[in-house]
Amino acid sequence: MPRHTPEEKAGLILGRLEKLTFTPEHLQLIGAFVVAYGLFETGLEPCLLAMANVNARAMGTKDQFKTFGQGHPSFSKKANAVLCIAGQAANDICEYRNSLVHGYLQAMPGGVPTFMKNPAWNPAIVKKGKDPGDAYADSPQLHLALDAAWTLSMLVRRAQTAVTDAAAIASIEALESDVRNAKSCAGELRHLRSLMNHEKY
């Protein structure tokens, strides 16, 4: 069997993924979402250290989002309201991300790539009582996820800057409509996942 260059091997792998129902658009959107969420996640740690003087690595994810959503005493009421909404959006988008990254891939011809997190057929999962959660990787849901993750990634950096630069508080306020949209996107994604998880979609 001939040896392939990394470029040739990558092409073969993409062909295999296409047979698993991943279109080039799916792969592009998944990659963009993972990068955008990664920017949010890595920005959140220094942001929380600056805002609340806490080590985010020692906290659970939901506690991180709660702390982020509490804002900062020196911020304006409007800026803190924006952070509160963002904390709620982060909870929803994180669940989708966890299913997408850690779920079991289910690929059926003609179907949508689906990642099942904590499936009921896994006895170890059932015994621990963990909630299931699926991530459907169709384009509309990936658009929602990418939109929300990108906005959150911008917000954490602005919030970190605003702790030491009061002039930057206005940049948080300026993201209000984007953050409300991110909350809407994340909420719709959560709702669709709930319907699909209960086979009502």
Side-chain angles (χ1 to χ4, degrees):
M1 185 174 188
R3 298 186 66 180
H4 298 286
T5 66
E7 292 82 1
E8 291 170 333
K9 193 70 179 285
L12 293 172
I13 293 168
L14 289 172
R16 293 281 181 90
L17 289 173
E18 190 169 348
K19 290 180 179 178
L20 292 174
T21 71
F22 288 96
T23 67
E25 183 185 21
H26 286 142
L27 296 175
Q28 183 181 38
L29 288 169
I30 289 170
F33 168 65
V34 169
V35 170
Y37 188 90
L39 291 171
F40 165 61
E41 194 173 53
T42 55
L44 186 60
E45 291 186 10
C47 178
L48 291 180
L49 186 60
M51 286 176 55
N53 195 28
V54 295
N55 179 4
R57 293 186 181 184
M59 303 170 69
T61 305
K62 291 189 181 294
D63 289 333
Q64 290 179 10
F65 299 154
K66 182 179 178 181
T67 302
F68 180 59
Q70 290 170 345
H72 191 269
S74 71
F75 292 176
S76 67
K77 184 177 180 179
K78 182 176 180 179
N80 281 329
V82 169
L83 293 177
C84 181
I85 296 168
Q88 296 166 12
N91 266 317
D92 288 341
I93 208 66
C94 177
E95 288 299 320
Y96 182 82
R97 176 262 179 198
N98 288 345
S99 295
L100 187 70
V101 174
H102 300 295
Y104 294 85
L105 172 63
Q106 302 293 308
M108 293 177 286
V112 173
T114 305
F115 295 85
M116 299 175 62
K117 185 186 72 169
N118 303 336
W121 45 258
N122 187 324
I125 295 296
V126 173
K127 186 176 180 180
K128 290 182 180 179
K130 292 187 176 182
D131 292 332
D134 298 349
Y136 292 79
D138 62 355
S139 297
Q141 292 195 50
L142 287 166
H143 284 131
L144 293 171
L146 178 57
D147 190 342
W150 182 253
T151 297
L152 293 173
S153 74
M154 291 191 297
L155 183 62
V156 291
R157 280 156 181 79
R158 295 187 187 192
Q160 181 184 355
T161 301
V163 173
T164 54
D165 180 6
I169 294 174
S171 72
I172 297 174
E173 296 175 351
L175 276 179
E176 180 183 14
S177 63
D178 290 316
V179 171
R180 288 189 182 281
N181 181 65
K183 171 74 166 58
S184 177
C185 287
E188 185 176 349
L189 193 60
R190 174 180 44 77
H191 178 64
L192 289 172
R193 293 178 68 226
S194 177
L195 290 177
M196 291 175 174
N197 290 342
H198 291 89
E199 299 181 344
K200 295 177 182 177
Y201 184 76

